[in-house]
Amino acid sequence: MRPQLQIALDVGSICEAKRILTKEVLHEVDIVEAGTLLLAAEGARAVKELRKHIGEKKTLVADFKIADGAGVLASMFFDAGADLTTVIAAAGPDSMKKAQEAAGERGKELQIELYGRWDLQLAKEWYKLGLHHIIFHHARDGAHRWNAADVEQVRRLQEIGYQVSVTGGLDRESIRLFKEQPAFAFIAGRALYGSKEPAKEAQALKEAMSGI
């Protein structure tokens, strides 16, 4: 399967998110993400409104990075229209199980967002719990440049069985690093909606992805 392009909407309001998601932008992206900032500002209503705006065919992610109250929060976002929601890597196994149960009951899926300390042994344990999506992440607060070591970490996660998405300061150059190690999705936020012409920037990122 070809890598998918995901737009992360880390903006402060539903109105701003809808303004970004023009027909032209929606045509270019595969996955729409209600980002953590948007969910903090607007709650599950952001998921409901985005689902109405984008229709039923596009995949919709609620990126709340759940740590506690996982069953309740996951259910809330799934019932609002999300196809996937995220749990933080620091969440305990009981929280992950409850969120996974909520997902399974609804035919939905979870993604583990890698923040802070983690290792491959932990990743193997999460996989046994039934979580098969993972997000390899460089935080917005850092200044990391993507490199071959990152690509190798993605490869190791894929060997466990994960579908791995990558995010954090991605551009055309960094996407090309994954030529031999395709990701499930490349996630871009400000690189897209901060552009003067977001649809054209999405096309350029997809062009970089085309050789993968």
Side-chain angles (χ1 to χ4, degrees), residues 118-189:
W118 65 276
D119 56 39
L120 291 174
Q121 184 56 44
L122 265 178
K124 290 175 183 177
E125 292 173 13
W126 298 330
Y127 193 83
K128 290 177 183 177
L129 293 176
L131 288 82
H132 298 159
H133 283 262
I134 210 161
I135 302 171
F136 188 84
H137 180 101
H138 288 304
R140 62 188 289 135
D141 295 334
H144 179 89
R145 294 298 301 171
W146 290 88
N147 56 49
D150 298 322
V151 178
E152 175 63 12
Q153 286 282 64
V154 168
R155 184 190 67 78
R156 291 179 178 181
L157 290 166
Q158 289 173 331
E159 282 185 344
I160 294 171
Y162 283 106
Q163 292 183 320
V164 185
S165 297
V166 294
T167 187
L170 286 170
D171 55 22
R172 301 170 213 179
E173 182 181 351
S174 53
I175 284 173
R176 292 189 182 102
L177 291 173
F178 292 86
K179 184 176 181 180
E180 304 300 328
Q181 201 62 44
F184 172 74
F186 292 98
I187 305 172

Side-chain angles (χ1 to χ4, degrees), residues 5 29 31 39 92 110 174 203:
L5 180 60
V29 302
I31 303 171
L39 292 174
L110 293 179
S174 53
Q203 289 172 356

Side-chain angles (χ1 to χ4, degrees), residues 10-84:
D10 273 311
V11 294
S13 71
I14 294 168
C15 289
E16 178 68 2
K18 287 182 176 179
R19 186 193 66 78
I20 293 165
L21 290 176
T22 62
K23 289 182 180 179
E24 292 77 14
V25 170
L26 276 173
H27 178 74
E28 299 299 337
V29 302
D30 305 291
I31 303 171
V32 174
E33 173 193 319
T36 309
L37 298 181
L38 178 58
L39 292 174
E42 299 276 16
R45 190 170 73 90
V47 180
K48 289 182 180 179
E49 291 300 317
L50 285 178
R51 176 54 74 196
K52 290 178 186 176
H53 185 72
I54 70 175
E56 295 298 324
K57 292 183 179 180
K58 295 283 183 183
T59 299
L60 179 59
V61 177
D63 179 26
F64 199 65
K65 301 176 178 66
I66 297 168
D68 194 15
V72 174
L73 285 167
S75 298
M76 185 185 304
F77 293 127
F78 289 136
D79 292 344
D83 299 298
L84 300 104

